[in-house]
Amino acid sequence: MKNRTKIIVVVGVVIIALLSVRNCSCNRPKKATKPEVSNNNFLLTNPPLPLLDIPYQKFEIDPTKTNVLYSKYGAKINVPADAFLDKEGNIINDKVQLSFREFYNPLDFYLAGIPMNYNDNGIDKVLESGGMVELTAKQNKDELFVNHSSKIKVDIKSWTKSKDFNLYDLDKTTGKWIEKGKDSISVFNKNKIFPTVPPMPIIATENAFKIADDTKMFPEIEGYKDVLFEPINISKCNISDATEMIVKPLENGIFEVTSIIKYGSFRKENKCLCYLAFEAGKDYNYAMKTYQNKYAKILNERNLHINEEEKILRTLAINNFGFVNCDYPKSYPSGGEINPIYVDENGKTIVLHNVVLVEKNTNAFFRYSANVKYNPSSNNLLWGLTNDNKIAFIKNADFVALRKSTSKQKVRMHTHKEKVNTYEDVMKVLF
């Protein structure tokens, strides 16, 4: 026993840190005849909270050149030369002012007061959007018109690559959506490869252990003498004092620790999969700081790509300035219906306006002024505004308590007492 090499496994305290987009000039020939000017009357939308209406982004361009513009949310506006006409059909050559905004979700549509109802062969439906924009053009204060021989196209992000969606323009005279054909879809894979990053440091538990070589004969073990190992599954870990110890780094920050016992011809191995761990307090804090300093850039880039294995772009052709939508007509939900008497948390009757229902994971909303139809199997959210413009809402869990009946019933709403001042305020309240 005196001459036996012995490596000791000790439960202890770690004392070291972690082991460590723009313009090109491209003139078009002038047209011999004046292009046709389409009707471009102004349509008032009805924002329920005017101060929270979706804001415009402004651009000023030289219309004699090709312009490529980018919105702050990622839309790409491709403006060819000679894209603008005055009311007489003349091509515009002097500076043009563009106003642009984009809409991606039901809250955007709601706050902008955009009508989303659609009559599909006599059946009332709503439009589920794959992406929508509003683009207007002026020269000084004069409204401009689309040159159909030189159309603007807008690339916008979309949540779906379904080909069931069509293009619709909002008629500024009637307030109705007019089908305009198809958009085009582009899908880009975003399989960006990032360098391997180990998991964040973890705090050691009572199961953590460290290894030490009291013989000084195994220099590869010496490098781990002050490092704690935290078993991934303690029930499968039988590490003990041994004549030899092997530490093998695996992928994803996992280490395989093997203890080997040898007596003559007898040999026994025990393996344990572990993470590196640190004692709570000074050691852990230092390890975490070291980790963040080393891997912060990679981690931030990786977070930007979460849930974006694919980037889906839809290209919308601008046939008339105003609202252009990529949509699919969707039927009103069914299976449940209530005739609500809205009350607050104290049971006091309240009057609500601008009442809408949203089904989570559906990019549409349903407006109601009386009975509310819903699908009990969906994840539902219902909200409206009180007379003093407070948000009142019920979420999916509240729908369970409702009777699926057209008889009048009290619906107890959650009323947000504080004033909402920003888009983010409304988002936090509802979603």
Side-chain angles (χ1 to χ4, degrees):
M1 299 292 291
K2 185 175 181 178
N3 295 324
R4 180 170 64 85
T5 300
K6 184 179 180 183
I7 298 175
I8 304 172
V9 179
V10 184
V11 175
V13 178
V14 67
I15 61 173
I16 66 169
L18 178 65
L19 297 174
S20 318
V21 228
R22 188 87 162 152
N23 291 342
C24 70
S25 179
C26 178
N27 293 326
R28 285 175 173 265
K30 300 298 181 183
K31 309 298 185 297
T33 59
K34 293 182 181 179
E36 180 182 353
V37 173
S38 299
N39 184 27
N40 203 28
N41 292 332
F42 183 70
L43 170 73
L44 288 175
T45 53
N46 185 28
L49 297 167
L51 294 179
L52 299 185
D53 193 2
I54 305 300
Y56 291 91
Q57 190 170 349
K58 306 286 187 177
F59 303 92
E60 184 172 81
I61 65 170
D62 178 352
T64 66
K65 299 178 180 180
T66 295
N67 291 267
V68 179
L69 310 171
Y70 295 90
S71 78
K72 60 182 179 180
Y73 296 113
K76 181 181 178 182
I77 310 166
N78 302 282
V79 186
D82 304 334
F84 307 94
L85 306 177
D86 64 18
K87 62 182 180 180
E88 304 297 334
N90 299 306
I91 292 175
I92 299 297
N93 295 314
D94 295 328
K95 295 290 185 182
V96 168
Q97 295 79 43
L98 292 178
S99 296
F100 177 82
R101 55 181 181 165
E102 57 213 295
F103 313 89
Y104 291 106
N105 60 61
L107 184 57
D108 293 351
F109 315 149
Y110 180 83
L111 291 177
I114 302 170
M116 298 296 288
N117 52 298
Y118 181 73
N119 189 283
D120 188 7
N121 295 320
I123 301 174
D124 289 331
K125 295 185 177 181
V126 301
L127 291 177
E128 180 177 13
S129 180
M132 175 167 40
V133 302
E134 183 187 9
L135 180 66
T136 59
K138 290 185 177 182
Q139 187 176 74
N140 299 321
K141 294 184 179 181
D142 295 327
E143 186 177 11
L144 300 181
F145 302 84
V146 168
N147 182 352
H148 289 274
S149 298
S150 188
K151 290 184 182 179
I152 298 170
K153 294 184 179 180
V154 180
D155 298 330
I156 60 170
K157 295 181 295 183
S158 181
W159 59 274
T160 177
K161 54 186 176 182
S162 170
K163 296 181 179 179
D164 293 335
F165 288 69
N166 297 315
L167 277 183
Y168 296 83
D169 285 354
L170 187 58
D171 189 294
K172 299 175 179 66
T173 305
T174 64
K176 295 180 180 180
W177 291 98
I178 308 300
E179 186 176 337
K180 291 290 184 178
K182 290 285 186 180
D183 61 338
S184 61
I185 305 170
S186 302
V187 180
F188 302 92
N189 291 324
K190 300 189 72 177
N191 299 323
K192 182 174 180 178
I193 299 175
F194 293 94
T196 301
V197 176
M200 289 190 298
I202 61 174
I203 297 175
T205 70
E206 60 183 8
N207 297 318
F209 62 88
K210 66 177 180 178
I211 60 177
D213 175 19
D214 63 351
T215 69
K216 308 300 181 183
M217 295 175 61
F218 296 89
E220 67 273 16
I221 296 298
E222 186 70 14
Y224 296 100
K225 66 178 182 179
D226 294 319
V227 176
L228 279 173
F229 293 89
E230 180 73 33
I232 295 176
N233 186 342
I234 188 62
S235 67
K236 295 183 179 181
C237 184
N238 297 310
I239 296 297
S240 62
D241 285 359
T243 54
E244 186 178 345
M245 191 76 73
I246 299 174
V247 178
K248 181 181 179 181
L250 304 179
E251 295 181 349
N252 301 319
I254 298 174
F255 290 78
E256 180 186 72
V257 181
T258 305
S259 62
I260 304 172
I261 299 174
K262 293 186 291 188
Y263 291 102
S265 61
F266 174 82
R267 177 185 176 94
K268 183 178 181 180
E269 293 187 2
N270 290 313
K271 296 182 183 294
C272 183
L273 297 181
C274 304
Y275 292 117
L276 297 184
F278 301 85
E279 184 187 37
K282 181 179 178 180
D283 292 327
Y284 176 78
N285 293 340
Y286 181 72
M288 179 61 80
K289 183 177 180 180
T290 302
Y291 178 88
Q292 290 174 336
N293 288 340
K294 185 173 183 179
Y295 299 113
K297 183 177 179 180
I298 296 174
L299 292 171
N300 287 338
E301 289 183 2
R302 179 175 288 175
N303 288 336
L304 291 175
H305 287 74
I306 291 175
N307 297 325
E308 289 190 14
E309 289 80 13
E310 291 183 329
K311 181 180 180 181
I312 303 169
L313 293 180
R314 289 184 177 271
T315 300
L316 314 183
I318 305 300
N319 295 292
N320 294 288
F321 289 124
F323 289 95
V324 182
N325 203 350
C326 175
D327 288 276
Y328 178 79
K330 183 176 180 65
S331 298
Y332 275 77
S334 60
E337 183 174 356
I338 57 172
N339 187 351
I341 301 172
Y342 298 113
V343 299
D344 62 17
E345 292 89 338
N346 299 317
K348 182 180 178 181
T349 301
I350 55 176
V351 176
L352 295 184
H353 58 93
N354 284 293
V355 175
V356 297
L357 174 81
V358 168
E359 296 179 322
K360 297 291 183 67
N361 301 319
T362 298
N363 209 31
F365 65 70
F366 306 92
R367 292 188 181 276
Y368 293 106
S369 58
N371 285 19
V372 174
K373 296 180 179 180
Y374 67 100
N375 181 355
S377 299
S378 297
N379 189 340
N380 296 293
L381 168 65
L382 179 77
W383 80 81
L385 300 176
T386 65
N387 285 336
D388 56 352
N389 281 338
K390 296 290 193 306
I391 299 175
F393 63 91
I394 56 172
K395 296 189 176 182
N396 196 56
D398 303 301
F399 275 80
V400 177
L402 300 178
R403 289 183 290 106
K404 290 179 285 186
S405 171
T406 56
S407 300
K408 284 190 175 295
Q409 63 176 297
K410 292 184 178 181
V411 178
R412 192 177 297 273
M413 307 294 289
H414 308 286
T415 305
H416 185 68
K417 306 298 183 183
E418 299 176 9
K419 183 180 179 181
V420 289
N421 297 306
T422 66
Y423 179 98
E424 289 73 20
D425 288 344
V426 181
M427 182 65 76
K428 288 178 182 178
V429 172
L430 295 175
F431 298 93

